[in-house]
Amino acid sequence: MARRRSMFSIFRRLVVIGVLGVGLLTAGALGIAWVALGPTDTVGEVDFDTELVIPPLAESTIDEQGRRVFELTAQEGHLDLGEGAVDTWGFNGDYLGPTLRAERGEEVLVHVRNELPEASTVHWHGMHLPAAMDGGPHQMVEPGGTWDPTWTIDQPATTLWYHPHPHGRTQEHVARGLAGMFILDDPAAQVELPSDYGVDDLPVIVTDPTVRRGAVDGGREFGDRVLVNGTEGPYAEVSTELVRLRLLNGSPMRVYQFSLDDGSPLVQIGSDGGLLPAPHEATSVRLSPGERAEVLVRLEPGETRVLRSIDPDLGQNFLAERFSGGQDRFDVLQLRAADELADSPELPEELAPDIVEHAGDPSAVDRVREFRMSGRQINGAQMRMDHADEVVTLGDTEVWEVTNHGGEVHTFHVHDVQFRVLSVDGREPPPELSGLKDTILTEEGVTYRLLMTFTDYADPAVPYMYHCHLLKHEDQGMMGQFVVVEEGQEPAIAEHEGH
Ligand code: C2O
Ligand code: CU
Ligand code: CU
């Protein structure tokens, strides 16, 4: 008995030593990571000596069927980041792509050409369109191949974007530079806003290049600088009292919290899917990957302001914040006002008071679905290309209840629709979430109730995606698929057993 006991206590001692050892090693590794992944801070360090490049407006022609026709070629290129050129990818150029622009009611056709050494896709992020035109992982374009999606623009004026979506490779393709803006106009829009592209209406595509061995490397999560429209240390000359910035977070993983260096407010006028109901003065605007915001900045003659990203509030525990860029700060873009500034339109009190009606009637909800985000799974499942996780009936208004249970930063993006945030943890959404959205950051343990209506396009065979828009997570399978079917129609791809 005594012998057994002492054997047991030796064993127990060994376990304790082992546990202590592992604990020490973990603490050591964390410590090393803590230092190695220390906060990146470029505030006050950026020279702003390069004029901001404005992506050209894509040329288009009108074909015999009246369609507006664009050409987009994904190709290899180079970008000079100061330490010599690095290999990049871009559309119709070296890095990023031209700005596409079309009006509500117009039919568009895009001739997409893939001149990359591997297959890719072009997804129209935020666009309401048929699933077969969406450019998700089911619409692959082989090297040397072409793809000709066509659809009718039918949604409020806003700032959308396009980027590749090949399953498992999206982070890499976007990081290398494949992204561009897609501006939608609405000829019926009433509000007068600064809208002279490249003059008082500036595209601001913020990317986070992760460079290794002379190439933009999509494997790393975070870079140590930011680019605007591919320009490092950019300044923009401003000649009007008000300048409108169309902010797009085109970074694969990084969350930004934009603010002005002197603490003066940014006036947010738009979110992902269009104008806000009313302008909202904010000291900062947080954007997770894929999100957009339109803001106005008011300048005095001769003054200089810096748009900066302060340490973003990620709604996470201390450790998750630290290792997700939650302490990083960047100087992003300098605005230089001329000595004389042209008048700008008066800012109206209301912008688009009824815009959320687009998402449907909250008192006539046909179905509620729950989405639990955790690990690299949504509702306990990973992306399966041949399964429909959800089947939606055309015309239905639904509430999607999304909760991040993960202890990590996640976001939630839905294809095809723009949604309205009905509530955040049971409360009214904050003003920045009062308009239409297609992507939101999901803070830990908080439930977001999203209202959306699936109009126009049913296709039982081709799914749309919903996913975390942190592209590494998406690539690792944090994505699901839904098909939209006509009432009574069966999906033509396998339905997930759980339903
Ligand atoms: Cu920005 Cu599924 O995409
Ligand atoms: Cu999308
Ligand atoms: Cu995620």
Side-chain angles (χ1 to χ4, degrees):
M1 206 54 199
R3 193 182 159 82
R4 249 192 92 186
R5 193 180 297 138
S6 77
M7 284 288 286
F8 182 68
S9 74
I10 287 169
F11 175 72
R12 202 166 50 185
R13 218 168 284 171
L14 282 174
V15 167
V16 168
I17 290 168
V19 166
L20 273 178
V22 169
L24 277 174
L25 280 176
T26 311
L30 257 176
I32 290 168
W34 194 261
V35 175
L37 299 173
T40 305
D41 190 344
T42 70
V43 166
E45 317 256 289
V46 176
D47 289 336
F48 299 116
D49 52 6
T50 312
E51 183 157 18
L52 177 69
V53 169
I54 302 294
L57 285 172
E59 283 174 25
S60 59
T61 53
I62 304 292
D63 72 2
E64 53 311 331
Q65 291 167 61
R67 298 179 297 194
R68 184 172 294 285
V69 183
F70 297 98
E71 316 266 345
L72 273 187
T73 300
Q75 59 194 60
E76 296 174 283
H78 301 282
L79 184 68
D80 192 354
L81 288 175
E83 305 110 37
V86 294
D87 295 333
T88 54
W89 289 356
F91 289 106
N92 301 1
D94 289 315
Y95 186 76
L96 302 180
T99 297
L100 274 59
R101 190 155 197 168
E103 277 185 2
R104 189 170 196 171
E106 259 185 329
E107 204 175 333
V108 296
L109 165 67
V110 190
H111 290 303
V112 173
R113 223 192 134 68
N114 181 2
E115 286 179 0
L116 301 172
E118 65 177 82
S120 191
T121 80
V122 183
H123 165 58
W124 319 102
H125 179 127
M127 193 79 75
H128 175 51
L129 78 184
M133 307 298 167
D134 189 41
H138 295 272
Q139 288 89 40
M140 295 293 278
V141 188
E142 294 302 318
T146 61
W147 179 55
D148 296 311
T150 177
W151 70 95
T152 300
I153 306 290
D154 189 15
Q155 64 191 90
T158 193
T159 305
L160 306 181
W161 68 302
Y162 59 92
H163 65 79
H165 216 299
H167 186 40
R169 300 283 297 151
T170 297
Q171 181 187 11
E172 171 94 29
H173 288 210
V174 173
R176 284 175 179 244
L178 292 171
M181 219 172 240
F182 201 139
I183 296 177
L184 301 186
D185 298 304
D186 186 347
Q190 302 288 321
V191 192
E192 208 199 327
L193 291 166
S195 52
D196 198 351
Y197 182 81
V199 178
D200 61 3
D201 180 354
L202 307 179
V204 178
I205 306 175
V206 183
T207 59
D208 173 34
T210 47
V211 180
R212 185 151 56 190
R213 278 188 244 107
V216 171
D217 158 44
R220 287 169 56 207
E221 290 193 15
F222 300 109
D224 58 1
R225 64 186 111 198
V226 296
L227 306 181
V228 181
N229 304 341
T231 318
E232 187 170 18
Y235 68 87
E237 309 267 16
V238 177
S239 56
T240 52
E241 290 170 351
L242 277 181
V243 62
R244 175 188 194 169
L245 306 178
R246 295 180 189 256
L247 303 171
L248 157 61
N249 182 351
S251 308
M253 296 295 287
R254 195 179 271 297
V255 178
Y256 300 101
Q257 186 126 9
F258 296 107
S259 66
L260 293 170
D261 58 341
D262 64 347
S264 63
L266 291 161
V267 181
Q268 189 178 351
I269 55 168
S271 55
D272 300 336
L275 293 176
L276 291 180
H280 160 56
E281 278 203 359
T283 49
S284 67
V285 173
R286 182 182 71 188
L287 290 186
S288 68
E291 286 187 291
R292 288 88 63 212
E294 293 185 20
V295 299
L296 296 177
V297 179
R298 184 175 293 280
L299 293 161
E300 299 294 332
E303 84 172 323
T304 291
R305 290 275 187 81
V306 174
L307 179 75
R308 124 180 333 166
S309 175
I310 52 174
D311 34 333
D313 179 7
L314 304 177
Q316 283 294 335
N317 63 68
F318 177 63
L319 271 182
E321 294 250 344
R322 171 63 186 257
F323 292 114
S324 309
Q327 295 180 352
D328 297 351
R329 305 194 306 159
F330 297 93
D331 271 352
V332 177
L333 170 66
Q334 188 185 57
L335 300 170
R336 296 182 184 172
D339 290 333
E340 271 178 56
L341 297 176
D343 292 348
S344 291
E346 275 306 310
L347 186 61
E349 259 167 54
E350 286 194 328
L351 294 165
D354 303 326
I355 194 155
V356 288
E357 286 176 11
H358 180 97
D361 179 355
S363 66
V365 173
D366 297 290
R367 173 145 188 184
V368 178
R369 297 176 203 262
E370 241 182 78
F371 296 86
R372 285 169 288 107
M373 323 260 297
S374 165
R376 294 295 173 268
Q377 301 185 323
I378 302 178
N379 287 343
Q382 290 222 305
M383 167 70 168
R384 290 157 303 173
M385 291 281 286
D386 54 356
H387 272 72
D389 298 280
E390 308 293 335
V391 179
V392 170
T393 304
L394 184 69
D396 274 5
T397 295
E398 301 201 352
V399 171
W400 287 20
E401 292 185 350
V402 183
T403 312
N404 175 0
H405 291 288
E408 277 180 285
V409 181
H410 295 299
T411 72
F412 194 76
H413 167 53
V414 191
H415 288 209
D416 180 41
V417 292
Q418 290 287 338
F419 54 77
R420 166 182 181 181
V421 181
L422 285 182
S423 68
V424 176
D425 230 10
R427 285 185 291 271
E428 275 281 295
E432 64 270 22
L433 298 181
S434 63
L436 294 174
K437 295 285 295 168
D438 56 52
T439 307
I440 51 163
L441 188 146
T442 56
E443 299 192 354
E444 165 126 58
V446 174
T447 296
Y448 298 79
R449 300 185 80 237
L450 315 177
L451 181 78
M452 58 195 90
T453 298
F454 298 87
T455 54
D456 303 304
Y457 307 115
D459 187 336
V462 185
Y464 294 103
M465 309 295 129
Y466 54 86
H467 55 89
C468 176
H469 213 290
L470 299 189
L471 298 182
K472 184 177 192 179
H473 298 184
E474 175 188 334
D475 284 342
Q476 289 172 337
M478 199 165 194
M479 177 152 64
Q481 311 197 97
F482 67 98
V483 287
V484 178
V485 298
E486 307 268 2
E487 176 126 46
Q489 194 178 33
E490 287 294 320
I493 64 174
E495 213 175 320
H496 175 218
E497 314 79 51
H499 292 270

Coordinates of all heavy atoms in Angstrom, one line a residue, residues 181-248:
M181 N -12.9 49.5 -56.6 CA -14.1 50.1 -56.1 C -15.2 50.0 -57.2 O -14.9 50.0 -58.4 CB -13.9 51.6 -55.8 CG -14.7 52.0 -54.6 SD -14.2 53.7 -54.1 CE -13.6 53.3 -52.4
F182 N -16.4 49.9 -56.8 CA -17.6 49.9 -57.8 C -18.6 50.8 -57.2 O -19.3 50.6 -56.2 CB -18.1 48.5 -57.9 CG -18.9 48.2 -59.1 CD1 -18.8 47.0 -59.8 CD2 -19.8 49.1 -59.7 CE1 -19.5 46.7 -61.0 CE2 -20.5 48.9 -60.8 CZ -20.4 47.7 -61.5
I183 N -18.7 52.0 -57.8 CA -19.6 53.1 -57.3 C -20.9 53.0 -58.0 O -20.9 52.9 -59.3 CB -18.9 54.5 -57.5 CG1 -17.6 54.6 -56.7 CG2 -19.9 55.6 -57.1 CD1 -16.9 55.9 -56.8
L184 N -22.0 53.0 -57.3 CA -23.3 53.0 -57.9 C -23.9 54.3 -57.7 O -23.8 54.9 -56.6 CB -24.2 51.9 -57.2 CG -23.7 50.5 -57.3 CD1 -24.8 49.6 -56.7 CD2 -23.4 50.1 -58.7
D185 N -24.5 54.9 -58.7 CA -25.2 56.1 -58.7 C -26.7 55.9 -58.8 O -27.1 54.9 -59.4 CB -24.7 57.1 -59.8 CG -23.3 57.4 -59.7 OD1 -22.9 57.9 -58.6 OD2 -22.5 57.1 -60.6
D186 N -27.5 56.9 -58.4 CA -28.9 56.8 -58.5 C -29.4 58.1 -59.1 O -29.4 59.1 -58.4 CB -29.6 56.5 -57.2 CG -31.1 56.2 -57.3 OD1 -31.6 56.5 -58.4 OD2 -31.7 55.7 -56.4
P187 N -29.8 58.1 -60.4 CA -30.3 59.3 -61.0 C -31.4 60.0 -60.2 O -31.6 61.2 -60.3 CB -30.6 59.0 -62.4 CG -30.6 57.5 -62.5 CD -29.9 56.9 -61.3
A188 N -32.2 59.2 -59.5 CA -33.3 59.8 -58.8 C -32.9 60.4 -57.4 O -33.8 60.9 -56.7 CB -34.4 58.7 -58.6
A189 N -31.7 60.2 -57.0 CA -31.3 60.6 -55.7 C -31.4 62.1 -55.6 O -31.1 62.9 -56.5 CB -29.8 60.2 -55.4
Q190 N -31.9 62.6 -54.4 CA -32.3 64.0 -54.2 C -31.1 64.8 -53.6 O -31.0 66.0 -53.8 CB -33.5 64.0 -53.2 CG -34.7 63.3 -53.7 CD -35.4 64.0 -54.8 OE1 -35.4 65.2 -54.9 NE2 -35.8 63.2 -55.8
V191 N -30.3 64.1 -52.8 CA -29.4 64.9 -51.9 C -28.2 65.3 -52.7 O -27.6 64.6 -53.5 CB -28.9 64.0 -50.8 CG1 -28.1 64.8 -49.8 CG2 -30.0 63.2 -50.2
E192 N -27.8 66.6 -52.5 CA -26.6 67.1 -53.2 C -25.4 67.0 -52.3 O -25.4 67.5 -51.2 CB -26.8 68.6 -53.5 CG -26.1 69.1 -54.7 CD -25.9 70.6 -54.8 OE1 -26.9 71.3 -54.3 OE2 -24.9 71.0 -55.3
L193 N -24.4 66.2 -52.8 CA -23.2 66.0 -52.0 C -22.0 66.2 -52.9 O -22.1 66.2 -54.1 CB -23.2 64.5 -51.5 CG -24.3 64.1 -50.5 CD1 -24.4 62.6 -50.4 CD2 -23.9 64.7 -49.1
P194 N -20.8 66.4 -52.3 CA -19.6 66.5 -53.1 C -19.5 65.2 -54.0 O -19.6 64.1 -53.5 CB -18.5 66.6 -52.1 CG -19.1 67.1 -50.8 CD -20.5 66.5 -50.9
S195 N -19.4 65.4 -55.3 CA -19.5 64.2 -56.1 C -18.6 64.3 -57.4 O -18.9 63.7 -58.4 CB -20.9 63.9 -56.5 OG -21.5 65.0 -57.1
D196 N -17.5 65.1 -57.3 CA -16.6 65.3 -58.4 C -15.5 64.3 -58.2 O -14.6 64.6 -57.4 CB -16.2 66.7 -58.5 CG -15.6 67.1 -59.9 OD1 -15.4 66.2 -60.7 OD2 -15.3 68.3 -60.1
Y197 N -15.6 63.1 -58.8 CA -14.6 62.0 -58.6 C -13.2 62.5 -58.7 O -12.8 63.1 -59.7 CB -14.9 60.9 -59.5 CG -14.0 59.7 -59.3 CD1 -14.3 58.7 -58.3 CD2 -12.9 59.5 -60.1 CE1 -13.5 57.6 -58.1 CE2 -12.1 58.3 -59.9 CZ -12.4 57.4 -58.9 OH -11.6 56.3 -58.7
G198 N -12.4 62.3 -57.7 CA -11.0 62.6 -57.7 C -10.7 64.1 -57.3 O -9.6 64.5 -57.2
V199 N -11.8 64.9 -57.2 CA -11.6 66.3 -56.8 C -12.1 66.5 -55.4 O -11.4 66.7 -54.5 CB -12.3 67.2 -57.8 CG1 -12.2 68.7 -57.4 CG2 -11.7 67.0 -59.2
D200 N -13.5 66.4 -55.2 CA -14.0 66.5 -53.8 C -14.7 65.3 -53.4 O -15.4 65.2 -52.4 CB -14.9 67.7 -53.7 CG -16.2 67.6 -54.6 OD1 -16.3 66.6 -55.3 OD2 -17.0 68.6 -54.6
D201 N -14.5 64.2 -54.2 CA -15.1 62.9 -53.9 C -14.0 61.9 -54.1 O -13.7 61.5 -55.3 CB -16.3 62.7 -54.8 CG -17.0 61.4 -54.6 OD1 -16.6 60.6 -53.8 OD2 -18.1 61.2 -55.3
L202 N -13.3 61.5 -53.1 CA -12.1 60.7 -53.2 C -12.3 59.2 -52.8 O -12.7 58.9 -51.7 CB -11.0 61.3 -52.4 CG -10.6 62.8 -52.6 CD1 -9.5 63.2 -51.6 CD2 -10.3 63.1 -54.0
P203 N -11.9 58.3 -53.7 CA -11.8 56.9 -53.3 C -10.6 56.7 -52.3 O -9.6 57.2 -52.6 CB -11.6 56.1 -54.6 CG -10.9 57.1 -55.5 CD -11.4 58.5 -55.1
V204 N -10.9 56.1 -51.2 CA -9.8 55.8 -50.2 C -9.8 54.3 -49.9 O -10.4 53.9 -49.0 CB -10.0 56.7 -49.0 CG1 -8.9 56.4 -47.9 CG2 -10.0 58.2 -49.3
I205 N -9.0 53.6 -50.7 CA -8.9 52.1 -50.5 C -7.7 51.9 -49.6 O -6.6 52.1 -50.1 CB -8.8 51.4 -51.9 CG1 -9.9 51.8 -52.8 CG2 -8.7 49.9 -51.7 CD1 -9.7 51.2 -54.2
V206 N -7.9 51.4 -48.4 CA -6.8 51.2 -47.5 C -6.4 49.8 -47.4 O -7.3 48.9 -47.2 CB -7.3 51.7 -46.1 CG1 -6.1 51.6 -45.1 CG2 -7.8 53.2 -46.1
T207 N -5.2 49.5 -47.8 CA -4.7 48.2 -47.8 C -3.5 48.0 -46.9 O -2.8 49.0 -46.5 CB -4.4 47.6 -49.2 OG1 -3.4 48.5 -49.8 CG2 -5.6 47.6 -50.1
D208 N -3.1 46.8 -46.6 CA -2.2 46.5 -45.6 C -1.2 45.5 -46.2 O -1.3 44.3 -46.0 CB -3.0 45.8 -44.4 CG -2.1 45.2 -43.3 OD1 -1.1 45.8 -43.0 OD2 -2.5 44.2 -42.8
P209 N -0.2 46.0 -46.9 CA 0.6 45.0 -47.7 C 1.5 44.2 -46.8 O 2.2 44.8 -45.9 CB 1.4 45.9 -48.6 CG 1.5 47.2 -47.9 CD 0.2 47.4 -47.1
T210 N 1.5 42.9 -46.9 CA 2.4 42.1 -46.2 C 3.5 41.6 -47.2 O 3.2 40.8 -48.1 CB 1.6 40.9 -45.7 OG1 0.8 40.4 -46.7 CG2 0.7 41.3 -44.5
V211 N 4.6 42.1 -47.0 CA 5.7 41.9 -48.0 C 6.7 41.0 -47.5 O 7.2 41.1 -46.4 CB 6.3 43.3 -48.4 CG1 7.4 43.0 -49.5 CG2 5.3 44.2 -48.9
R212 N 7.1 40.0 -48.3 CA 8.2 39.1 -48.0 C 8.9 38.7 -49.2 O 8.3 38.3 -50.2 CB 7.6 37.9 -47.2 CG 8.7 36.9 -46.7 CD 8.3 36.2 -45.5 NE 7.1 35.4 -45.7 CZ 6.4 34.8 -44.7 NH1 6.8 34.9 -43.5 NH2 5.3 34.1 -45.0
R213 N 10.2 38.7 -49.2 CA 11.1 38.3 -50.3 C 10.6 38.9 -51.6 O 10.4 38.2 -52.6 CB 11.1 36.8 -50.4 CG 12.1 36.2 -49.4 CD 12.4 34.7 -49.6 NE 11.9 34.0 -48.5 CZ 10.8 33.2 -48.4 NH1 10.0 33.1 -49.4 NH2 10.6 32.6 -47.3
G214 N 10.4 40.2 -51.6 CA 10.2 40.9 -52.9 C 8.8 40.7 -53.5 O 8.5 41.0 -54.6
A215 N 7.9 40.0 -52.7 CA 6.6 39.8 -53.2 C 5.6 40.1 -52.1 O 5.8 40.0 -50.9 CB 6.4 38.4 -53.7
V216 N 4.4 40.6 -52.5 CA 3.3 40.7 -51.6 C 2.9 39.3 -51.2 O 2.6 38.5 -52.1 CB 2.1 41.5 -52.1 CG1 1.0 41.5 -51.2 CG2 2.6 43.0 -52.4
D217 N 2.9 39.0 -49.9 CA 2.7 37.7 -49.4 C 1.4 37.6 -48.7 O 1.2 38.3 -47.7 CB 3.9 37.3 -48.5 CG 3.6 36.2 -47.6 OD1 3.0 35.2 -48.0 OD2 4.0 36.3 -46.4
G218 N 0.5 36.8 -49.2 CA -0.8 36.7 -48.6 C -0.9 35.8 -47.4 O -2.0 35.8 -46.7
G219 N 0.2 35.2 -47.0 CA 0.1 34.3 -45.8 C 0.1 35.0 -44.5 O -0.4 34.5 -43.5
R220 N 0.8 36.1 -44.4 CA 0.9 36.8 -43.2 C -0.4 37.6 -42.9 O -1.1 38.1 -43.7 CB 2.1 37.8 -43.2 CG 3.4 37.0 -43.1 CD 4.6 37.9 -43.4 NE 4.6 39.0 -42.5 CZ 5.1 40.2 -42.8 NH1 5.7 40.4 -44.0 NH2 5.1 41.2 -41.9
E221 N -0.6 37.8 -41.6 CA -1.9 38.4 -41.2 C -1.8 40.0 -41.3 O -2.7 40.6 -41.8 CB -2.3 38.1 -39.8 CG -2.7 36.6 -39.8 CD -3.4 36.2 -38.5 OE1 -3.9 37.1 -37.7 OE2 -3.6 35.0 -38.2
F222 N -0.7 40.5 -40.8 CA -0.6 42.0 -40.7 C 0.7 42.5 -41.3 O 1.7 41.9 -41.1 CB -0.8 42.4 -39.3 CG -2.0 42.0 -38.6 CD1 -2.0 41.0 -37.7 CD2 -3.2 42.6 -39.0 CE1 -3.2 40.6 -37.1 CE2 -4.4 42.2 -38.4 CZ -4.4 41.2 -37.5
G223 N 0.6 43.7 -42.0 CA 1.8 44.4 -42.4 C 2.1 45.5 -41.4 O 1.5 45.6 -40.4
D224 N 3.2 46.2 -41.8 CA 3.6 47.3 -40.8 C 3.4 48.7 -41.4 O 4.0 49.6 -40.9 CB 5.1 47.0 -40.5 CG 6.0 47.1 -41.7 OD1 5.4 47.3 -42.9 OD2 7.2 46.9 -41.6
R225 N 2.6 48.8 -42.4 CA 2.3 50.1 -43.0 C 0.9 50.0 -43.6 O 0.4 48.9 -43.7 CB 3.3 50.5 -44.0 CG 3.3 49.5 -45.2 CD 4.4 49.8 -46.2 NE 5.3 48.7 -46.2 CZ 6.6 48.7 -46.7 NH1 7.0 49.8 -47.2 NH2 7.4 47.7 -46.6
V226 N 0.4 51.1 -44.1 CA -0.8 51.1 -44.8 C -0.6 51.9 -46.1 O 0.2 52.8 -46.2 CB -2.1 51.6 -44.1 CG1 -2.4 50.8 -42.9 CG2 -1.9 53.1 -43.7
L227 N -1.3 51.4 -47.2 CA -1.3 52.2 -48.4 C -2.7 52.7 -48.7 O -3.7 52.0 -48.3 CB -0.9 51.2 -49.6 CG 0.4 50.4 -49.5 CD1 0.6 49.6 -50.7 CD2 1.5 51.4 -49.3
V228 N -2.8 53.8 -49.4 CA -4.1 54.3 -49.8 C -4.1 54.3 -51.4 O -3.2 54.9 -52.0 CB -4.4 55.7 -49.3 CG1 -5.8 56.1 -49.8 CG2 -4.4 55.7 -47.8
N229 N -5.0 53.5 -52.0 CA -5.0 53.4 -53.4 C -3.6 53.0 -53.9 O -3.2 53.3 -55.1 CB -5.5 54.7 -54.1 CG -6.8 55.2 -53.6 OD1 -7.5 54.4 -53.0 ND2 -7.1 56.5 -53.8
G230 N -2.9 52.2 -53.1 CA -1.6 51.7 -53.5 C -0.5 52.8 -53.3 O 0.7 52.5 -53.6
T231 N -0.8 53.9 -52.8 CA 0.2 55.0 -52.5 C 0.7 54.9 -51.1 O -0.2 54.9 -50.1 CB -0.4 56.4 -52.7 OG1 -1.3 56.4 -53.9 CG2 0.7 57.5 -52.9
E232 N 2.0 54.9 -50.9 CA 2.5 55.0 -49.5 C 2.8 56.4 -49.1 O 3.3 57.2 -49.9 CB 3.8 54.2 -49.5 CG 4.3 54.0 -48.0 CD 5.4 53.0 -47.8 OE1 6.1 52.7 -48.8 OE2 5.6 52.6 -46.7
G233 N 2.4 56.8 -48.0 CA 2.6 58.2 -47.5 C 1.9 59.2 -48.3 O 2.5 60.2 -48.8
P234 N 0.6 59.1 -48.6 CA -0.1 59.9 -49.6 C -0.6 61.2 -49.0 O -1.0 61.3 -47.9 CB -1.2 59.0 -50.0 CG -1.6 58.3 -48.8 CD -0.3 58.0 -48.0
Y235 N -0.6 62.3 -49.9 CA -1.3 63.5 -49.5 C -2.3 63.8 -50.7 O -2.0 63.3 -51.8 CB -0.4 64.7 -49.3 CG 0.4 65.1 -50.6 CD1 -0.2 66.0 -51.5 CD2 1.6 64.6 -50.9 CE1 0.4 66.5 -52.6 CE2 2.3 65.0 -52.1 CZ 1.7 65.9 -52.9 OH 2.3 66.3 -54.1
A236 N -3.4 64.4 -50.4 CA -4.3 64.8 -51.4 C -4.5 66.3 -51.3 O -4.7 66.9 -50.2 CB -5.6 64.1 -51.2
E237 N -4.5 67.1 -52.4 CA -4.8 68.5 -52.4 C -6.3 68.6 -52.4 O -7.0 68.0 -53.2 CB -4.2 69.1 -53.7 CG -2.8 68.8 -54.0 CD -1.8 69.9 -53.4 OE1 -2.2 70.7 -52.6 OE2 -0.6 69.9 -53.9
V238 N -6.8 69.5 -51.6 CA -8.2 69.7 -51.5 C -8.5 71.2 -51.9 O -7.8 72.1 -51.5 CB -8.7 69.4 -50.1 CG1 -10.2 69.7 -50.0 CG2 -8.4 68.0 -49.7
S239 N -9.5 71.3 -52.8 CA -9.8 72.7 -53.3 C -11.2 73.1 -53.0 O -11.7 74.1 -53.4 CB -9.6 72.7 -54.8 OG -10.4 71.7 -55.4
T240 N -11.9 72.3 -52.1 CA -13.3 72.7 -51.8 C -13.4 72.6 -50.2 O -12.6 71.9 -49.6 CB -14.2 71.6 -52.4 OG1 -13.8 70.3 -52.0 CG2 -14.3 71.7 -53.9
E241 N -14.4 73.3 -49.7 CA -14.6 73.3 -48.2 C -14.8 71.9 -47.6 O -14.4 71.6 -46.5 CB -15.9 74.1 -47.9 CG -15.8 75.6 -48.1 CD -17.1 76.2 -48.0 OE1 -18.2 75.5 -47.9 OE2 -17.2 77.4 -48.0
L242 N -15.6 71.1 -48.4 CA -15.9 69.8 -47.9 C -15.3 68.8 -48.9 O -15.4 68.9 -50.1 CB -17.4 69.6 -47.9 CG -18.3 70.1 -46.8 CD1 -19.8 69.7 -47.1 CD2 -17.9 69.4 -45.5
V243 N -14.7 67.8 -48.3 CA -14.2 66.7 -49.1 C -14.9 65.4 -48.7 O -15.1 65.2 -47.5 CB -12.7 66.6 -49.2 CG1 -12.1 66.3 -47.8 CG2 -12.2 65.6 -50.2
R244 N -15.3 64.6 -49.6 CA -16.0 63.3 -49.3 C -15.0 62.2 -49.5 O -14.4 62.1 -50.6 CB -17.2 63.2 -50.3 CG -17.9 61.8 -50.2 CD -18.9 61.8 -51.4 NE -19.9 60.8 -51.4 CZ -21.0 60.8 -52.2 NH1 -21.1 61.8 -53.1 NH2 -21.9 59.9 -52.2
L245 N -14.9 61.4 -48.5 CA -13.9 60.3 -48.6 C -14.8 59.0 -48.6 O -15.6 58.7 -47.7 CB -13.0 60.2 -47.4 CG -12.2 61.5 -47.1 CD1 -11.3 61.3 -45.9 CD2 -11.3 61.9 -48.3
R246 N -14.5 58.2 -49.7 CA -15.2 56.9 -49.7 C -14.2 55.9 -49.2 O -13.3 55.4 -49.9 CB -15.6 56.5 -51.2 CG -16.6 57.4 -51.8 CD -16.9 57.0 -53.2 NE -17.7 58.0 -53.9 CZ -19.1 57.8 -54.1 NH1 -19.7 56.7 -53.7 NH2 -19.7 58.8 -54.7
L247 N -14.3 55.6 -47.9 CA -13.4 54.7 -47.2 C -13.7 53.3 -47.5 O -14.9 52.8 -47.3 CB -13.4 55.0 -45.7 CG -13.1 56.4 -45.2 CD1 -13.4 56.5 -43.7 CD2 -11.7 56.8 -45.5
L248 N -12.8 52.5 -47.9 CA -13.0 51.0 -48.1 C -11.8 50.3 -47.4 O -10.6 50.6 -47.7 CB -12.9 50.7 -49.6 CG -12.6 49.3 -50.0 CD1 -13.5 48.2 -49.4 CD2 -12.5 49.1 -51.5

